[in-house]
Amino acid sequence: SGGGFFTWLQLPQHVDAEKLLPEAHKHDVSFAPGSFFSPQRDLKNYLRLSFAYYEEPELVEGAKRLAAVINRNIN
């Protein structure tokens, strides 16, 4: 498979990534909700994550922050 600047994360079907975004921003982490990339506004439970502009320690810290936000909000 080829390289790229982004990766996708699929959340449980009932989770709306767009609603997680404000909480993520409070923890200094961000993503693009999948619905931004779909004309039908589906892909609501997907996140598009950029990894191209960050060093490994920043990516690890961002993943920890994002995981904490997701774990608090998926129920």
Side-chain angles (χ1 to χ4, degrees):
S1 86
F5 297 110
F6 304 96
T7 191
W8 288 84
L9 175 65
Q10 182 180 9
L11 300 174
Q13 190 69 35
H14 69 278
V15 178
D16 186 341
E18 208 168 329
K19 292 180 180 177
L20 287 179
L21 194 54
E23 186 68 21
H25 286 165
K26 291 178 187 175
H27 296 278
D28 295 322
V29 67
S30 192
F31 57 84
S35 59
F36 290 7
F37 301 93
S38 170
Q40 292 81 25
R41 303 285 292 170
D42 52 0
L43 303 177
K44 288 186 178 292
N45 62 314
Y46 285 82
L47 312 180
R48 184 177 181 221
L49 303 168
S50 172
F51 59 85
Y53 303 106
Y54 304 96
E55 297 296 325
E56 186 175 341
E58 294 170 304
L59 292 170
V60 169
E61 180 61 28
K64 288 178 185 178
R65 292 179 191 179
L66 182 57
V69 169
I70 291 169
N71 285 329
R72 280 194 295 270
N73 290 279
I74 63 169
N75 295 324

